[in-house]
Amino acid sequence: MREGPDIARIASLVGDPARANMLNALMGGTALTASELALEAGVSLPTASSHLSKLVEGGLLTLASQGRHRYYGLAGPQVAGMIEAITGVAEAVGPKRVRPGPRDGAMRIARVCYDHLAGEQAVEMLDRLVEKNILVRDDKEIRLGPSAASHFAAIGIDVYTKPRRPVCRACLDWSVRRSHLAGTLGAAILDKILAEKWARREKDSRAVVFSPPGKQAFERVFLG
Amino acid sequence: MREGPDIARIASLVGDPARANMLNALMGGTALTASELALEAGVSLPTASSHLSKLVEGGLLTLASQGRHRYYGLAGPQVAGMIEAITGVAEAVGPKRVRPGPRDGAMRIARVCYDHLAGEQAVEMLDRLVEKNILVRDDKEIRLGPSAASHFAAIGIDVYTKPRRPVCRACLDWSVRRSHLAGTLGAAILDKILAEKWARREKDSRAVVFSPPGKQAFERVFLG
DNA sequence: ACAACGGTTCGACGCCGCTCGAACCATCGA
DNA sequence: TCGATGGTTCGAGCGGCGTCGAACCGTTGT
């Protein structure tokens, strides 16, 4: 019964599914609010609040209060490294799910990630937007390019409303292992896709399936 | 609610104190039996067996059956790395215990580590035994030197009995952060210390306190 | 001042899983 | 073949923690 740092305490914090989901969501590096994390984790707000208190108390998260918003973020790169190490083991050790990433084929192509689009199509879209200099990536951040406002205004998306959350955010796509676009812009694009009926959400699933003409329209607007 | 490898599953395996102790004990790299791990974890044998099944099932441990013994060991360096990452966070994040290592001052000096001596005195002893070429360290292993048999025979310790467990084993001392001597030889030395009444065990504690003449005798025999 | 909204606290419920004693199984030595 | 020893399985007990609804608190905007 050797002595040492309280490794069980830290591990058990990560060991709850809800908290693990929150930590995963925070691995992008941007701080999120309690409500957002509650959605990510799939639990009610009180439950999320309780979990977040424990994570802060345990030293895994930092809390930044801004007005009536409280942003939670990873406490530091050491914590992120730990999560990554655990993820590596989980991935290596749990080959029970044969293919990596989401089970369903449709979900690998396109799915909802909280409020924006994820999957192969989303990753490709971000690539093209950056390629066309509409968006600009430096390091891990995504910013609006010079032609962004006019480009998105042309398809009915105002990039300057709702300053509450960051407009652009990179979100790591698990199935593709590369980033796709999150933030209010990502959300607006998903809204557009659904509003135009280019695609519909699969029942009781996060999968998003495009109709053939919808896919063409999507590609013309965002990939063209 | 992003998808991904089951990080919570892995973390919760480490998140139980008994299992964390077992994993810690296995960080030395040598495989241990179920009974040894039960002692390390401070739980009964059935409980330990249940935990070990879960760890094997979870892919964190490997099981090697040899006759009626079953040796459990870490599944690989990736798992060890994960434990180390968690330990790092736990250490960085839990500075609630002001001084590193065991709380009690006496325990930092000398304590029982399962069946052998640990603490500052134990670390110093191993240093001197290696310095005098009685034991030989290469890399992380410890072997008997040429004069070991005669040296230990002179003080009534037969290094060749009980071939079941390794005679020498390095055991990382948490309070000093360096190795001390474990294995059957380490156990025999502790037996000798207690049999000669050079020291006594503190009640309900792992601390070992030497009497003044006992300490002199110990230093003469092992440090001289 | 008042309503709306984000977030936390409280209380109660329910379940998962840790724990150990006792019985059982397997291997080794005589 | 029989006992001794190392390990596992079974069953039952029980504590802890995750969960949510309802109430409460603080900030913002009108």
Side-chain angles (χ1 to χ4, degrees), chain A:
Chain A
M1 182 136 52
R2 219 152 307 187
E3 292 294 333
D6 209 342
I7 146 177
R9 185 178 138 77
I10 300 299
S12 69
L13 281 174
V14 188
D16 176 83
R19 288 194 292 261
N21 281 333
M22 292 174 171
L23 291 168
N24 246 330
L26 292 169
M27 281 295 281
T30 52
L32 299 173
T33 67
S35 342
E36 289 169 330
L37 288 166
L39 274 172
E40 290 277 354
V43 294
S44 75
L45 228 160
T47 302
S49 183
S50 159
H51 284 311
L52 290 168
S53 303
K54 286 171 187 170
L55 287 170
V56 170
E57 164 72 15
L60 264 47
L61 257 46
T62 55
L63 171 56
S65 291
Q66 286 182 14
R68 65 175 158 183
H69 296 283
R70 315 192 75 182
Y71 285 92
Y72 292 89
L74 289 189
Q78 196 179 20
V79 174
M82 176 186 74
I83 306 280
E84 219 169 277
I86 300 176
T87 306
V89 171
E91 196 183 354
V93 114
K96 292 143 192 188
R97 53 163 69 100
V98 179
R99 54 195 165 309
R103 316 177 61 91
D104 194 356
M107 277 184 63
R108 228 176 314 151
I109 295 172
R111 64 182 180 277
V112 173
C113 181
Y114 173 25
D115 62 356
H116 56 271
L117 196 69
E120 293 171 9
Q121 287 203 27
V123 171
E124 189 183 356
M125 181 184 74
L126 176 57
D127 283 348
R128 295 306 303 271
L129 290 174
V130 169
E131 197 178 296
K132 290 194 286 180
N133 216 35
I134 295 171
L135 298 182
V136 182
R137 301 189 71 149
D138 39 337
D139 208 6
K140 287 294 171 188
E141 223 177 41
I142 301 178
R143 290 180 297 105
L144 296 173
S147 60
S150 64
H151 181 271
F152 286 112
I155 54 178
I157 293 177
D158 180 0
V159 295
Y160 289 124
T161 50
K162 298 194 61 175
R164 198 188 100 223
R165 282 201 302 156
V167 177
C168 299
R169 218 185 92 207
C171 181
L172 192 72
D173 198 302
W174 179 251
S175 56
V176 188
R177 304 275 187 93
R178 296 183 49 215
S179 293
H180 57 248
L181 181 63
T184 57
L185 180 55
I189 290 176
L190 176 60
D191 284 346
K192 170 91 175 167
I193 290 168
L194 298 177
E196 298 281 354
K197 294 212 182 341
W198 292 344
R200 60 179 172 77
R201 294 202 51 173
E202 199 66 50
K203 245 192 177 22
D204 289 329
S205 157
R206 288 162 50 214
V208 172
V209 300
F210 280 76
S211 67
K215 176 137 195 228
Q216 284 188 4
F218 171 79
E219 288 173 348
R220 177 168 37 77
V221 173
F222 293 109
L223 305 185

Side-chain angles (χ1 to χ4, degrees), chain B residues 126-201:
Chain B
L126 176 57
D127 284 348
R128 295 304 303 272
L129 289 174
V130 169
E131 196 178 298
K132 291 194 287 179
N133 217 34
I134 296 171
L135 298 182
V136 182
R137 299 189 73 149
D138 39 336
D139 209 4
K140 287 294 172 189
E141 224 178 41
I142 301 178
R143 291 180 296 104
L144 296 173
S147 60
S150 65
H151 181 271
F152 287 113
I155 54 177
I157 293 177
D158 180 0
V159 295
Y160 289 124
T161 51
K162 298 191 62 173
R164 200 189 100 220
R165 282 201 303 158
V167 177
C168 299
R169 216 186 95 207
C171 179
L172 192 71
D173 197 303
W174 180 251
S175 57
V176 188
R177 305 275 188 91
R178 295 184 47 216
S179 292
H180 57 248
L181 181 64
T184 57
L185 180 55
I189 290 176
L190 177 59
D191 284 346
K192 170 90 174 166
I193 290 168
L194 298 175
E196 298 281 352
K197 294 213 184 342
W198 292 343
R200 60 180 171 75
R201 294 202 51 173

Side-chain angles (χ1 to χ4, degrees), chain B residues 33 35 45-46 49 68 70 72:
Chain B
T33 67
S35 344
L45 227 161
S49 183
R68 65 174 157 182
R70 316 192 75 181
Y72 292 90

